[in-house]
Amino acid sequence: MGLALSGAAAQSNLRIGLAEDPDVLDPTLARTYVGRIVFASICDKLFDIDEKLNVVPQLATAHETSADGKTVTIKLRPGVKFHDGETFDAAAAKYSLDRHLNMKGSFRRPELASVTSIDVVDPATIKLNLKEPFSPLLAQLTDRAGMMVSPKAAEAAGDKFGLKPVCAGPYKFVERVQQDRIIVEKFADYWNKDQVFIDKITYLPITDSTVRLANLRSGSLDMIERVLATDIKTVRDNPKLKLVTAVELGYQGLTINLSNGPKADTPLAKDARVRQAFELSIDRDALNQVVFNGEFVVGNQWINPTNPYYQQAFPVPKRDIAKAKALLKEAGVTGRMSLDFMVPNNPETRQVAEVLQSMVAETGFDLKIRVTEFATSLKQSESGEYQLYLIGWSGRSDPDGNSYIFQVCGQPQNNSGYCDKDVDAWHNEARIKSDPAERKKIYEKVAAKYLPEGSIKYLYHRRVLVALSDKVDGYKQMPDGLIRVVGVKLK
Amino acid sequence: MLTFLSQRLLQIIPTLILVSMLIFGLQQLLPGDPALIMAGEERDPKVLEEIREQYRLNEPIPIQYFYWIKGVLAGNLGESMRLKASVSSLVAEKLPVTLQLAAMALVVALGIGIPAGIISAVKKDTAWDYGANVFALWGLSTPNFWLGILMIFLFSVTLGWLPASGYVRLGEDWRASLATTVMPAFVLGNAIAAVLMRHTRSAMLQAMSADYVRTARAKGLYEKRVVLKHALRNAMTPVITLGALEFGTLLSGAVLTEQIFTIPGFGKLIVDSVFNRDYAVVQGVVLVTATTYIVLNLLADVAYVLVNPRLRG
């Protein structure tokens, strides 16, 4: 008994508090942000990102894009094993990618839509054949689309694979009790095992942020994600806690209904000058100060100001009521303009909405805040039952993932109905070019047109806030906000 | 007795059908599209269409109901869209958790409510009585979530005595299991304790002024014996009935309490499933809960009849 107890005590266990319960743990079928946090410990990907958002190899070792951009050859890391002991090779990589492409209900299909087929060149090399050059592809392979699953286990489990995922990450899946915990254990045959120091990780979904923080303070947890901006001071004031942050890849903004249904019949939708006046009525800095104690990062683009693709030529505009009023006059708008403002129900967004309401009221916009439950608001945004919608996007490492589906005609998330031939052409051009400098030039053209007259007014970028106990050592926050556990130690 | 039983059993069938239709119908009234929620951020139209087809969301509601009820009759409550797990397995996993919590809360409620009621009746118009009444008023008017967060701050963050949240199964480690459930059980039992206290007090006061109590006292019995044996026994019947009725309050109260303490029971399952529009889970859980109520009701009726044969008629 004594031996057993001391053995158990010697096993280090990192307890991480998650803000939600992840959905199914199958990289092909998964779709939640919180699920990606768990995947970070169990499923390695072909590529990963570094602190500066560069794509770096993980299960791949190198890649080469052909001159015409239509094939991407990927060299695979030798000596990698899946959790069930199966070998990771080109056949397994092809299987995983084919599964993402063909499985019924796969959420990865749109991400890999540019891939037509995958060839096994030799046991350590695969070749991806593309319909047309598609530069965001590598970035897609740094997320779930690049996760490799054990063909044997996936074949046996079918669509139930997510109940017991078998991948090639540093930790192997042990147990899950829905809404309670997910336990993973160090994988002895991991290719980079010298960098894995903790024996076991327990993920505990705790939805209430106050309770999550209380657990960290009481020592029941070692690490929590999504700390509230208003709790930053509490964490900083506690000598036993550390706070690590990164600016989110995505954005928070206001979507204006431009042409989706009868509700789009407003001067705001019809006249770009009115939209500019609206934007000039907003003081983003004040908004950040009032609601988030100045802890977030203000922004006016689909990527944050630290992103290499941020357009410095278009800085965050300052509030200018006089100019806003002049623009409204020019557009022939008289009297107060009443607007239906849909706001998903959570305390933070409600506060943002109220601050915006009082800011734009000075220019003559009368926002009627309609707090709506999240699932309902999604449906209503699809069917155009709004004039203004306060909604964000979690973000992707490639700028295309933050802009294309919202700004290009007829794209699935373009619920505001914005459509411009030039903007479409530039976006498509940026997808083909692989040189970052060239792409940035193209996006500058998009910004010049879309920022003043487009359908989204970008407001700010949240900070990914992770709080940890001082017992946790060696943790580095990556810009995608996920919790990577390789290299982390527990004192 | 057999005729009575078979009659009651026959009555259950239409009730259950009605309940199942209500569950199904009401849920369809919820705004929001389950496929949209299911598709997450990557809302590709093709994927959306596939989800709608896979879960028959395109079909008319009566057809959807038909497939669902057909499955239920075959013992299949369906599959969670979000978790890909069978609803029956989720129910089997969560039900014991909520039952444990409810049972512990009932112990708290009975353990505090009844003694407090007795003391307050016996020591009427003294500081004891006033104290108990203040406690009852406090218990009735304190919201679960507030008391829960307060207790977490006191016992977990400040004193470090109890885990702030989480759950350990009884069979796994009973001590840890009690440690994780004692705070939620107290929060949940607290309000019921207050109700029980008030009822015990008035029932006891009534009993204490009854003739048989006066006779017992006149016989020279010890006061303790008079109170506990004569008065209490008679006063308890309505209180126990009330306690049984409050079991329903426990199950519904568990929704909030489980959310605060992150107890993976029925309450948490249903809240998460409603927000994710995971219809199959909501239907399954509500159906199981309704059936439990109906069966408990039946058992209560049977018990009454056993006690009082005149009701068989």
Side-chain angles (χ1 to χ4, degrees):
Chain A
M1 181 69 183
L3 266 180
L5 273 178
S6 66
Q11 200 189 39
S12 52
N13 180 11
L14 179 72
R15 297 153 304 169
I16 302 177
L18 305 174
E20 295 152 48
D21 190 36
D23 58 332
V24 62
L25 292 176
D26 180 333
T28 308
L29 303 175
R31 63 211 173 275
T32 55
Y33 167 77
V34 68
R36 291 161 67 198
I37 297 182
V38 178
F39 281 129
S41 70
I42 54 178
C43 292
D44 269 11
K45 308 156 289 188
L46 289 174
F47 298 94
D48 201 0
I49 53 161
D50 66 8
E51 290 116 272
K52 296 209 167 80
L53 282 180
N54 298 310
V55 174
V56 292
Q58 192 173 49
L59 288 179
T61 52
H63 77 278
E64 203 186 303
T65 308
S66 64
D68 66 357
K70 285 192 167 180
T71 57
V72 179
T73 308
I74 300 172
K75 281 274 174 207
L76 304 174
R77 188 176 291 283
V80 174
K81 291 249 183 264
F82 287 110
H83 299 150
D84 58 356
E86 294 288 301
T87 307
F88 167 70
D89 57 10
K94 176 178 162 57
Y95 177 87
S96 296
L97 292 170
D98 278 340
R99 187 173 187 267
H100 290 321
L101 275 171
N102 303 323
M103 189 173 171
K104 196 174 175 193
S106 166
F107 288 108
R108 303 291 85 81
R109 207 176 306 143
E111 295 165 18
L112 295 173
S114 59
V115 178
T116 49
S117 63
I118 298 124
D119 298 333
V120 172
V121 179
D122 62 53
T125 317
I126 51 167
K127 195 168 83 181
L128 274 51
N129 303 306
L130 313 185
K131 267 182 229 153
E132 55 201 352
F134 185 67
S135 52
L137 178 65
L138 278 193
Q140 301 285 25
L141 296 177
T142 65
D143 197 354
R144 290 158 296 191
M147 285 179 192
M148 299 288 112
V149 299
S150 158
K152 196 177 149 194
E155 209 46 45
D159 71 345
K160 299 277 180 271
F161 178 77
L163 299 178
K164 200 179 185 315
V166 180
C167 295
Y171 289 83
K172 58 180 181 186
F173 176 86
V174 177
E175 181 202 23
R176 173 174 194 180
V177 178
Q178 310 287 357
Q179 296 158 318
D180 181 31
R181 69 194 126 158
I182 295 169
I183 298 175
V184 300
E185 221 168 59
K186 190 171 165 176
F187 174 45
D189 285 332
Y190 183 55
W191 61 272
N192 191 15
K193 58 174 176 279
D194 297 344
Q195 288 301 307
V196 181
F197 305 107
I198 293 164
D199 301 310
K200 188 172 128 182
I201 302 172
T202 309
Y203 295 96
L204 297 145
I206 299 174
T207 32
D208 191 302
S209 47
T210 313
V211 176
R212 207 156 58 244
L213 182 59
N215 271 279
L216 179 72
R217 290 166 70 188
S218 71
S220 310
L221 290 176
D222 305 304
M223 210 168 180
I224 57 169
E225 58 122 356
R226 274 180 269 179
V227 175
L228 285 186
T230 40
D231 282 334
I232 290 180
K233 196 176 174 305
T234 317
V235 178
R236 286 203 184 121
D237 288 350
N238 190 327
K240 286 183 177 165
L241 301 182
K242 289 184 282 192
L243 188 77
V244 285
T245 73
V247 187
E248 71 174 341
L249 293 177
Y251 60 79
Q252 306 301 312
L254 275 169
T255 301
I256 302 165
N257 185 353
L258 293 191
S259 68
N260 185 0
K263 277 220 165 186
D265 188 19
T266 62
L268 186 72
K270 287 180 181 156
D271 196 326
R273 285 170 298 187
V274 181
R275 296 201 280 285
Q276 284 162 39
F278 186 87
E279 182 166 26
L280 285 169
S281 319
I282 299 168
D283 184 341
R284 289 170 170 88
D285 282 312
L287 176 73
N288 184 29
Q289 285 300 335
V290 172
V291 188
F292 306 110
N293 303 329
E295 299 282 355
F296 286 177
V297 174
V298 297
N300 62 326
Q301 297 173 27
W302 52 93
I303 40 181
N304 72 52
T306 65
N307 192 300
Y309 282 96
Y310 186 81
Q311 303 291 338
Q312 282 79 7
F314 304 94
V316 178
K318 292 269 167 275
R319 190 179 197 225
D320 190 340
I321 297 289
K323 199 171 162 194
K325 282 185 172 163
L327 275 167
L328 282 180
K329 205 170 167 189
E330 213 182 295
V333 175
T334 48
R336 296 187 72 74
M337 190 191 303
S338 174
L339 291 164
D340 170 35
F341 184 19
M342 181 161 72
V343 179
N345 188 14
N346 86 51
E348 271 181 5
T349 47
R350 280 205 305 265
Q351 281 185 56
V352 171
E354 281 161 15
V355 173
L356 287 172
Q357 183 186 45
S358 69
M359 281 175 177
V360 300
E362 273 185 62
T363 335
F365 295 98
D366 181 13
L367 302 190
K368 306 278 185 217
I369 297 176
R370 179 160 56 88
V371 177
T372 311
E373 187 257 345
F374 184 67
T376 312
S377 76
L378 280 185
K379 177 76 186 151
Q380 298 199 344
S381 88
E382 284 244 319
S383 47
E385 291 163 57
Y386 71 99
Q387 287 170 334
L388 273 170
Y389 181 24
L390 188 67
I391 186 76
W393 173 245
S394 75
R396 300 291 178 265
S397 59
D398 191 278
D400 180 87
N402 289 352
S403 54
Y404 195 90
I405 51 172
F406 301 96
Q407 298 175 3
V408 171
C409 282
Q411 280 296 305
Q413 303 250 36
N414 188 349
N415 292 327
S416 67
Y418 176 79
C419 193
D420 183 278
K421 271 189 198 134
D422 291 336
V423 170
D424 286 9
W426 292 323
H427 270 299
N428 286 319
E429 199 187 340
R431 284 187 150 191
I432 296 169
K433 300 277 189 236
S434 51
D435 177 46
E438 257 183 281
R439 287 185 82 197
K440 195 173 172 182
K441 275 255 175 271
I442 300 167
Y443 282 125
E444 190 179 334
K445 289 192 262 181
V446 177
K449 183 131 201 192
Y450 187 80
L451 294 184
E453 59 186 54
S455 52
I456 302 176
K457 294 293 168 207
Y458 305 93
L459 295 174
Y460 60 95
H461 307 273
R462 294 174 302 192
R463 246 176 217 286
V464 173
L465 299 166
V466 173
L468 31 135
S469 127
D470 58 357
K471 288 186 204 141
V472 182
D473 221 9
Y475 179 73
K476 264 196 295 187
Q477 187 58 57
M478 290 294 175
D480 58 9
L482 306 185
I483 298 176
R484 285 173 180 71
V485 286
V486 171
V488 177
K489 290 177 187 169
L490 209 51
K491 279 189 260 182
Chain B
M1 186 67 192
L2 265 181
T3 350
F4 168 78
L5 253 183
S6 51
Q7 266 176 356
R8 285 295 278 114
L9 278 172
L10 277 175
Q11 280 170 3
I12 285 182
I13 296 168
T15 315
L16 272 176
I17 294 176
L18 208 69
V19 165
S20 73
M21 284 171 141
L22 260 178
I23 297 167
F24 205 88
L26 283 177
Q27 190 168 240
Q28 306 295 330
L29 291 180
L30 271 179
D33 178 352
L36 265 181
I37 286 287
M38 166 87 177
E41 280 200 327
E42 295 89 4
R43 297 200 288 279
D44 190 74
K46 272 188 226 147
V47 177
L48 273 174
E49 202 39 49
E50 274 181 23
I51 298 172
R52 292 201 178 104
E53 254 168 51
Q54 195 180 346
Y55 293 98
R56 293 204 175 85
L57 296 168
N58 283 334
E59 310 258 15
I61 292 165
I63 307 261
Q64 289 186 40
Y65 174 75
F66 169 76
Y67 279 108
W68 176 62
I69 205 76
K70 203 173 122 191
V72 171
L73 290 176
N76 176 13
L77 290 175
E79 188 191 84
S80 156
M81 283 171 30
R82 183 178 145 85
L83 304 162
K84 300 271 175 224
S86 82
V87 176
S88 321
S89 72
L90 286 172
V91 167
E93 194 178 270
K94 310 294 179 196
L95 189 59
V97 181
T98 299
L99 285 181
Q100 183 194 341
L101 188 62
M104 283 176 67
L106 205 61
V107 171
V108 170
L110 294 172
I112 296 175
I114 292 176
I118 296 172
I119 293 170
S120 131
V122 174
K123 311 227 177 225
K124 190 172 173 274
D125 293 332
T126 66
W128 288 95
D129 184 23
Y130 298 138
N133 272 305
V134 167
F135 162 77
L137 205 63
W138 176 77
L140 279 173
S141 48
T142 313
N144 272 2
F145 66 89
W146 184 78
L147 181 62
I149 288 181
L150 218 63
M151 286 185 79
I152 290 176
F153 272 98
L154 179 62
F155 293 107
S156 306
V157 178
T158 312
L159 299 170
W161 291 351
L162 292 167
S165 63
Y167 174 74
V168 178
R169 276 163 286 190
L170 206 53
E172 207 175 312
D173 178 349
W174 68 270
R175 269 182 239 178
S177 181
L178 287 184
T180 50
T181 40
V182 66
M183 278 199 290
F186 181 80
V187 168
L188 204 50
N190 178 53
I192 298 168
V195 176
L196 283 180
M197 180 262 155
R198 300 283 288 232
H199 277 82
T200 309
R201 182 177 181 273
S202 57
M204 276 300 281
L205 283 177
Q206 218 172 15
M208 301 262 285
S209 60
D211 289 344
Y212 61 87
V213 169
R214 208 175 318 134
T215 314
R217 281 202 180 115
K219 281 200 294 188
L221 289 179
Y222 288 117
E223 186 62 15
K224 206 166 145 191
R225 199 176 158 81
V226 173
V227 171
L228 293 180
K229 186 128 192 200
H230 293 259
L232 184 64
R233 194 177 270 182
N234 285 288
M236 271 305 93
T237 326
V239 175
I240 296 293
T241 318
L242 186 85
L245 286 177
E246 287 292 328
F247 201 74
T249 317
L250 280 177
L251 289 180
S252 50
V255 172
L256 258 183
T257 314
E258 286 179 5
Q259 203 70 13
I260 296 160
F261 290 95
T262 328
I263 302 282
F266 252 38
K268 193 154 167 44
L269 182 66
I270 203 159
V271 170
D272 289 1
S273 304
V274 167
F275 278 122
N276 287 300
R277 300 291 189 274
D278 202 341
Y279 282 1
V281 180
V282 181
Q283 286 156 6
V285 173
V286 178
L287 189 68
V288 170
T289 315
T291 313
T292 315
Y293 269 115
I294 292 171
V295 170
L296 282 178
N297 238 314
L298 173 75
L299 289 180
D301 284 358
V302 171
Y304 281 136
V305 172
L306 285 180
V307 174
N308 189 352
R310 273 177 298 178
L311 286 171
R312 273 178 216 172

